[in-house]
Amino acid sequence: GKMNLADLIILDCEASGLSQNSYPIEIGVAYNKDSFGFLIKPASDWNYWDTIAEKIHNIKREDLENSGISVYDAVNILNSQLRGLTVYSDAFDFETFWIDKLYSSVGVERNFKIESIYMLNFNIEKYRKEKESLSKNIITHRAENDSLIIRESIIRSTK
């Protein structure tokens, strides 16, 4: 059916790498007329760090130590902002893995659903073009910016 674009919520993560030992280091969420994002101070047993990933997102581990919020605060913000909602991700498997790792690190249950954007009804080709053009004027591979770009690209591709 036709989705209500006002209800479209996008979640995006930056991570310490792509291995099984990776973890979320930044989360961004874009929804109607607003967005938020935060860096996450790694849990004590989150040690994996991929310098190739760092070159992509440009976030240093010390940035997380200095400016990140605790994993506990991160799950509380997500649960309070997203309770009962469905959020969409452009990298469902990775994002679900990282979000679940975040939640299990503090033993809290996630109270929102994550789905793939590819379950939504939009023109993929147009989406890719829009995403490329929106990405030219904004710093990408930062979670909040990426979530905004993804959301706007989907909206522009459903018209």
Side-chain angles (χ1 to χ4, degrees), residues 25 38-42 49 59-70 73 142:
I25 61 170
F38 47 78
L39 292 170
I40 300 167
K41 196 184 181 90
W49 192 259
I59 301 166
K60 295 178 178 21
R61 197 168 156 115
E62 49 268 30
D63 298 338
L64 304 177
E65 297 296 340
N66 298 332
S67 312
I69 64 173
S70 72
D73 286 344
R142 291 304 302 263

Side-chain angles (χ1 to χ4, degrees), residues 13 69-70 91 106 127:
C13 297
I69 64 173
S70 72
V106 289
Y127 166 78

